Amino acid sequence: MNNAPATTEELLASLNLPLPFSDEAEKGVISCLLQHPSRCDEAPSPETFYHEANRTVAAMIMAFHGAGKPIDPVLITRALRDQNLLDKVGGASAISELFAFIPM
């Protein structure tokens, strides 16, 4: 067994490893926010989402919440379409799937 402390290079290399993520967990959080907007105050910031599509949808939900707008899948879809972001998140069907998502 080698008990020598890690070198600077080894420590820097370990910082560049990808962080673990769960697509199912991200979708579960977004589904919760779409179904129970009152949970937005407890939600992680959109920047913590790994997938860009999930990050974009979460940011839109949080923007609606911050502006006091009602959070509804149809309104979120329309806002994403108006900002030319709907195709980047997978289209209207992706928002519907997020709303109905049940983590297994």
Side-chain angles (χ1 to χ4, degrees), residues 23-83:
D23 189 47
E24 187 172 270
E26 289 185 2
K27 288 179 179 180
V29 169
I30 293 171
S31 180
C32 178
L33 297 177
L34 288 169
Q35 294 178 32
H36 304 284
S38 62
R39 300 278 186 181
C40 285
D41 291 329
E42 305 168 33
S45 70
E47 295 81 26
T48 61
F49 288 85
Y50 180 82
H51 291 288
E52 183 178 352
N54 294 338
R55 200 169 36 247
T56 301
V57 174
M60 186 63 68
I61 291 170
M62 297 310 283
F64 269 53
H65 178 69
K69 296 180 181 179
I71 296 171
D72 176 82
V74 174
L75 297 175
I76 297 292
T77 301
R78 183 179 302 147
L80 289 167
R81 182 179 289 121
D82 291 346
Q83 295 182 20

